[in-house]
Amino acid sequence: MAPLNEDQLHAIRDERREQIIDAALGVFARRGPVLTKMSMIAAAAGISHGLLYHYFKSKDELFIALVREAMLGAGGGVEEMLGHPGTVIDKLRHFLHEAMSEEARLSFLLIHQARASEGVPEEAREIIKDYSMDWFASKLKPLFFEGQRTGEIAKDDADLLIAGLLTAMSGSMILHASDEKNIPLIHPDHLLRLVLAPEHVRPL
Amino acid sequence: MAPLNEDQLHAIRDERREQIIDAALGVFARRGPVLTKMSMIAAAAGISHGLLYHYFKSKDELFIALVREAMLGAGGGVEEMLGHPGTVIDKLRHFLHEAMSEEARLSFLLIHQARASEGVPEEAREIIKDYSMDWFASKLKPLFFEGQRTGEIAKDDADLLIAGLLTAMSGSMILHASDEKNIPLIHPDHLLRLVLAPEHVRPL
Amino acid sequence: MAPLNEDQLHAIRDERREQIIDAALGVFARRGPVLTKMSMIAAAAGISHGLLYHYFKSKDELFIALVREAMLGAGGGVEEMLGHPGTVIDKLRHFLHEAMSEEARLSFLLIHQARASEGVPEEAREIIKDYSMDWFASKLKPLFFEGQRTGEIAKDDADLLIAGLLTAMSGSMILHASDEKNIPLIHPDHLLRLVLAPEHVRPL
Amino acid sequence: MAPLNEDQLHAIRDERREQIIDAALGVFARRGPVLTKMSMIAAAAGISHGLLYHYFKSKDELFIALVREAMLGAGGGVEEMLGHPGTVIDKLRHFLHEAMSEEARLSFLLIHQARASEGVPEEAREIIKDYSMDWFASKLKPLFFEGQRTGEIAKDDADLLIAGLLTAMSGSMILHASDEKNIPLIHPDHLLRLVLAPEHVRPL
DNA sequence: TATGAATGAGGGTTCATTCAT
DNA sequence: TATGAATGAACCCTCATTCAT
């Protein structure tokens, strides 16, 4: 019954924080900030709602922390993709598979919620503004230009291609995550067709 | 002196109803049923919140009425498309342009909200169940088969193609409707590429 | 299409007022002032709710007018009873039959509502205070004294006898008027037993 | 440091629940379910209205809980009376004293409200249907028959006697509980006279 | 650290009352 | 006189947040 020592407390603290963040990501991503109730997060994390407030000052702060983390992941994903070996198509395919993977999807949805929902705290808006669709686009543009040079990418306006690709991807993920479970996720290789030059389109 | 006559009252009622429905469609479509406050609809319609209840018994009833109307439009749009003259591609392009047009978009979003949101009244769920994505798919499938026969449509699994097309379209519209106004709507002709046979892909 | 002349308007006005008062008595008596909605009175009177306000400035004023009228009737009933021919028992039996008759009952209930309900306008309270149970008691007391002298009435404290008789009567009428329609009205001759000397008790 | 232990929490919960039930009984019994505002109960219990909802899901549920409890008491009271020692008159007098006692009166009024008021939740209606006036009557009838055999009870129709007794009692209690505090409760022994054979009537 | 009792602001809905016609 | 559209105060209920333990 000796009191826990400093390290043990620290360990508990970190573990709890992780629990909460995991739980909150799942709920916020699917429901958006307003429809997410603190009690849902507490239940998902297996703790009392009171305890949430020891780790995060408010719902807004928790949401902001999640958005911040998700943005790092998303930004990193793009960087990582650019370093992926292979052709432009290889890079893009890799990126799409990554972004739509089970683990990344929640972060993507969260960012969508932060972007599209009502009742998002101002600070969260600021964060995603820095990594907005424009930011993605600016990162992808050189890649698209190269793809157009090599003939892999369609010759249309690169901005439109990129925006189309990203919104179609996000949109499909959003719908797939909605309650109607029988809406399938669009296949990354199908998505790719939005931007491929015709001669590179392959059957699935 | 005399009270308003039958026609005048009718005119007022119809006008108000229209005002409310227009206002409510805009708010519901963007925010979903729970985040939509009756006061927002009232403000958008330029009336007091109390007056809403002269025209609709409850928020749920209003939402249901809107969904019902939107479903009529959506269902009709598909039928109309099938009767459109021209090739399979012509029909599809026509459909996409219609569905993504300024007027149709809100209805589409509303249906999305009814499908994907929390707090949707049971009756609204029933209505869209009849015209679910499956229903759309079943209508489009013969067209896709024909397109595959004529070589206009890619030879992949028709179900996947259809689901991909529809979710990409819906998703883009959702994102575009969100508050961040600089997210562009995907171009219908780009969407079409998701399903076209390569040799039919044309630059925008 | 000539405009109505003064007299016709007056006639209409009186008729409408009567309609409203009749309708309102029925509703107020059964439901009490707060649970009575102006729309119920309007419906019962067969007019629009707006028109009510041409005849009575407010719900309170209408209720007060009804209470005033009912109190007159109730007071008159007592006076009339005292002048009724016959023995003390005859007078009392006559009074009970009158008070519990179909026509008088609504007025009685209304007074009960004014006495017992929440949300009764102050002025209505004032009116019935003037004709409160004390007033009734003071009118009945000489009669009871006489009855005790003649041996018709039990020898107990007259105040208690009177209060018991009146509350039992009112109470039975209240329950009878409630929605559960199978609660029978107590028989006036049974009520009488509450106060009769034993040797005057007769089987029903 | 440590959270409250199981027992302490339980104690608080029970105490609060009791507080609320007591407060609610007083208000519901006097005002009926519709005129009772949750804020009144909260004020009477000395807590915030929000806290009410930690203990009872809704106003209806609280009312139903009270009715259920009151019916247990009322039903039990009748059974207990039948086992009371002494003559039929002794039993009845005991019953009347019990039913009109300070503690029992509020329950009686509550049941009256559940029977007679508007806006009573369906479930509450179901509960009292089982113990309706008919149920009381059926329990009392054998006793009255016996009393008529022994000559204690008047020879009139037993159903009418019972109904008269019960409604007079209820009615008096209702009036007595109303705000005008100077309406005295009818004396149980006076009530008894409604049903006694003349030779058993005694001065108070 | 951890719990859950407690509070109160805010949103849906009803209904008395006003007012244009 | 007569109608019903229109307003807004007040009530039920939810849920973010605080706090005693």
Side-chain angles (χ1 to χ4, degrees), chain B residues 15-202:
Chain B
E15 187 195 322
R16 282 283 170 278
R17 233 189 117 87
E18 204 53 47
Q19 260 178 48
I20 292 172
I21 282 193
D22 286 353
L25 177 58
V27 188
F28 273 130
R30 263 176 264 275
R31 303 180 50 103
V34 181
L35 295 188
T36 294
K37 320 289 176 208
M38 288 301 259
S39 58
M40 292 171 179
I41 298 175
I47 61 175
S48 73
H49 72 267
L51 189 54
L52 286 180
Y53 291 89
H54 277 259
Y55 290 89
F56 296 92
K57 267 209 293 291
S58 67
K59 186 161 109 167
D60 278 5
E61 194 189 279
L62 175 51
F63 186 74
I64 290 166
L66 288 169
V67 169
R68 205 184 298 281
E69 210 161 283
M71 288 302 325
L72 286 181
V78 174
E79 308 284 5
E80 193 257 7
M81 178 252 314
L82 294 175
H84 193 79
T87 65
V88 168
I89 291 180
D90 290 336
K91 287 186 210 290
L92 276 176
R93 175 180 289 123
H94 173 71
F95 169 68
L96 292 174
H97 274 95
E98 281 302 309
M100 302 177 81
S101 69
E102 191 80 49
E103 316 90 58
R105 233 178 293 152
L106 284 179
S107 294
F108 235 94
L109 283 173
L110 186 78
I111 293 171
H112 163 69
Q113 296 285 7
R115 199 191 305 286
S117 297
E118 307 281 325
V120 173
E122 195 47 46
E123 196 176 337
R125 279 193 204 285
E126 294 298 331
I127 295 168
I128 58 170
K129 203 181 291 172
D130 296 344
Y131 286 79
S132 67
M133 194 149 288
D134 288 347
W135 181 87
F136 274 90
S138 71
K139 286 296 194 182
L140 291 175
K141 218 140 116 188
L143 192 69
F144 270 63
F145 284 154
E146 190 193 331
Q148 291 178 328
R149 214 172 21 78
T150 63
E152 292 169 280
I153 301 286
K155 292 285 193 277
D156 306 291
D157 178 79
D159 285 325
L160 280 182
L161 290 178
I162 292 170
L165 183 66
L166 291 177
T167 59
M169 177 182 75
S170 300
S172 177
M173 282 162 53
I174 293 160
L175 286 171
H176 176 70
S178 74
D179 273 353
E180 213 191 357
K181 275 311 175 206
N182 43 9
I183 298 182
L185 196 60
I186 198 169
H187 193 289
D189 288 345
H190 273 164
L191 268 181
L192 212 47
R193 287 190 188 157
L194 280 173
V195 301
L196 287 190
E199 55 273 26
H200 284 274
V201 176
R202 296 278 171 273

Side-chain angles (χ1 to χ4, degrees), chain A residues 39-58:
Chain A
S39 59
M40 291 172 177
I41 297 174
I47 61 174
S48 72
H49 66 269
L51 190 53
L52 285 180
Y53 289 86
H54 278 262
Y55 292 90
F56 297 92
K57 262 210 297 291
S58 68

Side-chain angles (χ1 to χ4, degrees), chain D residues 20 25 38 61 71 76 101 116-117 123 126 131 137-140 142 145 151 154 157 163 166 175 178 182 185-186 188:
Chain D
I20 292 172
L25 177 58
M38 288 302 259
E61 195 190 275
M71 289 300 328
S101 70
S117 297
E123 197 176 337
E126 294 297 331
Y131 286 79
S138 72
K139 287 296 193 181
L140 291 175
F145 284 155
D157 179 79
L166 291 177
L175 286 170
S178 75
N182 44 6
L185 196 61
I186 199 170

Side-chain angles (χ1 to χ4, degrees), chain C residues 129-192:
Chain C
K129 202 178 293 172
D130 296 345
Y131 286 79
S132 68
M133 195 147 289
D134 289 346
W135 181 87
F136 273 91
S138 71
K139 286 296 195 182
L140 290 175
K141 217 139 113 186
L143 192 69
F144 271 63
F145 285 153
E146 190 193 333
Q148 291 178 328
R149 214 172 20 76
T150 63
E152 291 170 281
I153 300 286
K155 292 284 192 278
D156 305 291
D157 178 80
D159 284 325
L160 281 182
L161 289 178
I162 292 170
L165 181 67
L166 291 177
T167 59
M169 177 183 75
S170 300
S172 177
M173 283 162 53
I174 293 158
L175 286 171
H176 176 68
S178 75
D179 273 351
E180 213 191 356
K181 276 309 176 210
N182 41 9
I183 298 182
L185 197 61
I186 199 169
H187 194 289
D189 289 344
H190 272 165
L191 266 182
L192 214 46

